[in-house]
Amino acid sequence: MTGGGAGPTLDELDTLTGEGPGPTPMEKTDLQNLQPPPLVTRDVSLRELEDAIVRPVESFPTFRWMIGLAISGSLVVLLMVCLIITVVRGVGVWGVQNPVGWGFAIINFVFWVGIGHAGTLISAILFLFHQKWRTGIARFAEAMTIFAVMCAGLFPVIHTGRPWLAWYWLFPLPNQHHVWINFRSPLAWDVFAVGTYFTVSLMFWYTGMIPDMALLRDRARNPLRKLLYGILSLGWRGSARAWHHYEKAYLLFAGLSTPLVLSVHSIVSFDFAVSILPGWHTTIFPPYFVAGAVFSGFGMVCMCLIVLRKVFHLEHVITIRHLELMNKIIIATGLMVGYAYAVEFFIAWYSGVAAERFVFLNRAFGPYAWAYWIMVSCNVIFPQLFWFRRIRRNPWLVFPIVILVNVGMWFERFVIVVTSLHRDFLPSSWSYYIPTWIDLGLLAGSFGLFFTLLLLFCRFAPVVTVAELKAVLPNSHPKHAGRLERKRGYDA
Amino acid sequence: MPESSGSLQGMVGVFDDPTPLLHMAGKARDAGWKHWDCHTPYPVHGLEKAMGLRDSLIPFLTISAGFFGAVFAKGMQWYMSDYDFPVIVGGKPLFSLPAFVPVTFELFVLFAALTTFGSVILFCGLCRWHSPLHDANLMLEATSDRYVVWFDATDALFEESEVRKFLEGNGAGDVRVVYNESDRRSVET
């Protein structure tokens, strides 16, 4: 690497100012004060950066990692047990009953799909907006998307009762009854939305990993390891011709994922909004659900990254500034969610519909008031602490707040589903929904599945996109590239 | 450097810094090289222009596949709901255009994304397990922190001494000749 303090942005400034000899040292310092803070806070070479990131993949698992895997693995066993009981004895073992026909299964489904949305927001939307800070956290957040959507997909499938027959209930497959699925049903839209979301996120994630898999292949000493990563890297050689197409494709993936992620949670909210039930039948649901999804997803990303950067010693790559920026998004989306809560109440009053007014009063002051106020305090009140710079830059304080955000967002779905159902139009059928231990076991087990997959991911793939991070280091791009192009007329 | 008796595959120049690589690439392009490539650990700004690469075809394929997916989705929903087994649900028309929008949109995205992924594999030359650079143990440098340029022996301009002079004159710290060790034919383009 050459010395010299000028980063790529300085060069861009240089090309803008013309063909002069470039800024003098004094001007350079002045300009550097105007530059955004560096994305990697320690001065490292490409090789050092790469070593720091791939160390967890290339070293023997640590004791802490094994403890983590043991805990989450036990929860996966619990998940298996609860799944077997559910499948053998039927969904009657759950707490769902007559007015509350949708219980934990749909709550968990919406919760996990929402968790996934932060990953796509970071990898796609921030990419389109040229937010370079996303580089340090995008890979991990994308992995979270994939695993969260896997957890989400589990619940509707088991809710069908006989998942082995769900193929032709969910997908338009030819079958012996000659009946097709009902394309007017939001549940059928869900299948397409979540299925597409999972497939596209998986391809986006994998495409992003190909260059890093090639790096792991080339660093590998063990022949089996070399073979494995060789297959995963698809024979990537870092060729400029390949990079040329690759960058274009990556941009397209980002462009496709952006409307996709907005559509997915909108369609999830249609499951409720398209029905005629008071409390669900509201037009604010699609934007409200998308904001809530981003809110909870960032909470989860933040929570995992606080642990990860400490355990893997990546504090110089996943910096305090990353946490701060994520916390700013949390407070913004948290306010949107709070606004939606308020508007729902206003519209219930303003509509003049007695049933609508009753549902919202019942929500805040009825038998489930405890759940409602947990939701409001976790989602609207506690995130306000992030207005204080000192709090949002302190991982020890951020960690409990983002956990509360996730608790609050889970309760939000609980409130929407249960409080709208448990007191329906016929007071004689009113009841109080209580989950069974199998419901709770499935919820805990889905967390186990999520964290098990995340822990395995941290062991087998670099948690930070090495190739992208190298490209944002200062000095990683040719000096005066723009000027050279203009001089020689390289714009074929 | 490989000492085996295999046929000459090409030559590589290894750079420690992207700037001379970029200058060198511009000159090689102007000299009219066809079978050559640069291998870098990350996409280097401006290299595609310096090498004179043409625009990628991927966006065109992606949007075409997207529209195909949308038409396919509309056709599928029409066939299943209106033609093959018409069922009236909730008093809605058999061809309920607004209700068919979500699936149409999702299939647009799905088809477009699958095509993009397929195009990456096709255009980036992936799923090819053999390359002379692997045999010459150059890949670690190219995926880690150095910048490698490859001149293929099949190019009409290829002349060992000329290439060496060209590379050394343009700041390549390390110039190597690569022979085919495994006797398999492989062309790096």
Side-chain angles (χ1 to χ4, degrees):
Chain A
M1 304 298 299
T2 52
T9 353
L10 275 177
D11 294 332
E12 281 157 29
L13 285 172
D14 187 13
T15 40
L16 287 174
T17 52
E19 315 225 335
T24 62
M26 175 115 169
E27 283 168 324
K28 265 186 187 172
T29 355
D30 287 347
L31 282 172
Q32 239 154 11
N33 291 337
L34 297 174
Q35 299 299 305
L39 293 165
V40 178
T41 51
R42 214 179 293 154
D43 197 16
V44 287
S45 72
L46 297 182
R47 185 61 73 93
E48 284 163 356
L49 189 73
E50 170 189 317
D51 287 340
I53 294 168
V54 300
R55 189 188 302 120
V57 183
E58 291 182 341
S59 54
F60 194 75
T62 58
F63 190 63
R64 275 187 282 191
W65 183 83
M66 292 206 195
I67 297 277
L69 191 71
I71 295 170
S72 63
S74 320
L75 289 173
V76 174
V77 174
L78 177 68
L79 178 74
M80 291 299 157
V81 170
C82 293
L83 280 179
I84 289 168
I85 295 174
T86 303
V87 168
V88 170
R89 300 196 49 205
V91 290
V93 295
W94 295 352
V96 286
Q97 20 81 341
N98 201 358
V100 188
W102 270 5
F104 264 38
I106 192 88
I107 298 168
N108 297 342
F109 165 72
V110 180
F111 173 76
W112 280 117
V113 174
I115 293 292
H117 278 35
T120 317
L121 190 100
I122 292 170
S123 59
I125 299 182
L126 296 186
F127 180 78
L128 294 182
F129 283 116
H130 295 283
Q131 296 295 309
K132 286 195 173 151
W133 61 275
R134 71 178 265 292
T135 307
I137 56 173
R139 162 77 47 77
F140 185 79
E142 281 171 40
M144 250 185 54
T145 298
I146 312 282
F147 304 145
V149 175
M150 283 163 83
C151 292
L154 183 71
F155 287 100
V157 171
I158 51 171
H159 206 171
T160 61
R162 279 177 271 176
W164 56 95
L165 299 178
W167 284 104
Y168 64 86
W169 295 341
L170 299 177
F171 295 100
L173 296 177
N175 58 71
Q176 68 271 41
H177 308 295
H178 297 284
V179 184
W180 301 102
I181 58 169
N182 176 18
F183 285 108
R184 293 170 206 88
S185 161
L187 299 180
W189 305 344
D190 248 4
V191 174
F192 281 87
V194 177
T196 301
Y197 185 47
F198 180 72
T199 317
V200 174
S201 302
L202 190 66
M203 288 190 292
F204 193 14
W205 183 56
Y206 186 69
T207 307
M209 272 201 301
I210 291 173
D212 287 358
M213 289 298 173
L215 174 70
L216 287 173
R217 168 200 68 200
D218 297 330
R219 288 173 63 101
R221 297 213 176 80
N222 181 325
L224 183 68
R225 196 181 165 80
K226 205 168 189 80
L227 179 74
L228 193 79
Y229 284 115
I231 292 170
L232 286 172
S233 68
L234 301 178
W236 177 262
R237 292 178 297 278
S239 137
R241 290 166 201 274
W243 278 123
H244 180 50
H245 293 293
Y246 176 92
E247 283 197 289
K248 197 61 105 190
Y250 200 81
L251 180 69
L252 286 168
F253 268 124
L256 288 170
S257 302
T258 301
L260 179 65
V261 70
L262 299 179
S263 83
V264 170
H265 230 57
S266 298
I267 289 175
V268 168
S269 82
F270 288 161
D271 289 348
F272 304 98
V274 170
S275 76
I276 52 162
L277 200 75
W280 287 0
H281 187 65
T282 54
T283 49
I284 201 176
F285 260 29
Y288 160 36
F289 267 51
V290 172
V294 173
F295 180 57
S296 64
F298 267 89
M300 188 65 104
V301 175
C302 220
M303 187 184 100
C304 297
L305 285 180
I306 287 172
V307 179
L308 183 94
R309 67 196 285 272
K310 200 84 197 157
V311 173
F312 287 166
H313 307 292
L314 290 175
E315 284 102 335
H316 61 301
V317 177
I318 302 163
T319 60
I320 290 289
R321 181 164 161 254
H322 287 97
L323 297 182
E324 187 180 8
L325 289 167
M326 283 194 280
N327 291 337
K328 284 181 179 171
I329 294 179
I330 287 177
I331 192 166
T333 47
L335 286 173
M336 289 179 207
V337 168
Y339 172 75
Y341 297 159
V343 165
E344 276 190 318
F345 269 82
F346 171 76
I347 294 294
W349 167 76
Y350 189 67
S351 69
V353 178
E356 193 80 27
R357 286 184 180 184
F358 170 76
V359 164
F360 280 93
L361 285 177
N362 181 52
R363 202 174 261 189
F365 304 108
Y368 284 107
W370 57 273
Y372 182 80
W373 293 107
I374 289 179
M375 166 189 105
V376 170
S377 49
C378 290
N379 290 349
V380 185
I381 299 171
F382 287 116
Q384 303 308 320
L385 292 168
F386 285 150
W387 286 107
F388 300 101
R389 183 180 157 87
R390 204 168 280 174
I391 292 178
R392 62 172 188 259
R393 291 179 68 92
N394 182 344
W396 293 101
L397 296 175
V398 170
F399 192 71
I401 297 174
V402 292
I403 287 181
L404 287 178
V405 164
N406 273 307
V407 171
M409 283 310 291
W410 188 87
F411 270 99
E412 180 193 296
R413 281 66 180 248
F414 180 87
V415 165
I416 291 171
V417 172
V418 176
T419 64
S420 309
L421 286 170
H422 85 119
R423 286 185 168 176
D424 63 356
F425 299 102
L426 199 64
S428 63
S429 61
W430 287 6
S431 76
Y432 192 80
Y433 167 78
I434 300 167
T436 62
W437 72 268
I438 293 178
D439 282 316
L440 297 169
L442 285 171
L443 173 62
S446 66
F447 274 93
L449 179 64
F450 179 73
F451 286 113
T452 303
L453 291 169
L454 268 189
L455 285 167
L456 291 174
F457 160 70
C458 295
R459 287 284 313 149
F460 292 106
V463 289
V464 176
T465 318
V466 185
E468 237 180 79
L469 199 63
K470 281 177 181 169
V472 298
L473 280 184
N475 295 324
S476 62
H477 287 290
K479 299 283 164 293
H480 313 300
R483 202 196 301 168
L484 184 86
E485 271 159 33
R486 214 173 43 228
K487 243 188 213 162
R488 302 181 64 98
Y490 293 141
D491 31 21
Chain B
M1 194 183 290
E3 307 260 324
S4 64
S5 54
S7 58
L8 181 66
Q9 285 276 296
M11 281 178 77
V12 288
V14 183
F15 294 78
D16 289 331
D17 189 271
T19 312
L21 177 83
L22 193 81
H23 288 259
M24 186 281 310
K27 288 179 193 160
R29 175 195 113 131
D30 291 349
W33 279 88
K34 294 276 176 289
H35 300 285
W36 68 295
D37 207 344
C38 300
H39 297 262
T40 56
Y42 53 85
V44 172
H45 284 177
L47 192 56
E48 73 282 358
K49 280 189 181 165
M51 286 178 69
L53 301 181
R54 269 182 299 173
D55 275 350
S56 176
L57 207 64
I58 298 181
F60 173 74
L61 292 175
T62 298
I63 192 104
S64 311
F67 281 115
F68 175 78
V71 171
F72 175 81
K74 273 280 185 271
M76 176 182 78
Q77 292 176 96
W78 165 78
Y79 173 78
M80 291 174 182
S81 311
D82 191 351
Y83 181 79
D84 186 49
F85 199 114
V87 180
I88 294 175
V89 183
K92 307 283 193 310
L94 288 173
F95 188 75
S96 321
L97 193 63
F100 292 172
V101 167
V103 172
T104 308
F105 172 76
E106 298 303 332
L107 288 191
F108 179 101
V109 173
L110 183 66
F111 276 58
L114 285 169
T115 306
T116 311
F117 188 67
S119 312
V120 169
I121 291 178
L122 184 73
F123 288 114
C124 299
L126 298 183
C127 292
R128 191 166 57 184
W129 311 115
H130 180 257
S131 146
L133 287 176
H134 286 299
D135 295 341
N137 276 330
L138 274 160
M139 273 327 285
L140 178 58
E141 288 166 82
T143 50
S144 182
D145 61 350
R146 301 180 88 190
Y147 311 84
V148 175
V149 61
W150 165 262
F151 288 107
D152 202 280
T154 56
D155 196 286
L157 294 170
F158 190 86
E159 181 77 52
E160 202 180 313
S161 55
E162 287 295 313
V163 175
R164 182 178 293 277
K165 206 161 45 170
F166 175 70
L167 284 172
E168 281 168 353
N170 280 289
D174 188 1
V175 179
R176 299 179 216 174
V177 185
V178 177
Y179 295 95
N180 188 355
E181 283 188 277
S182 54
D183 253 347
R184 265 178 294 173
R185 169 136 182 89
S186 60
V187 179
E188 182 75 2
T189 50

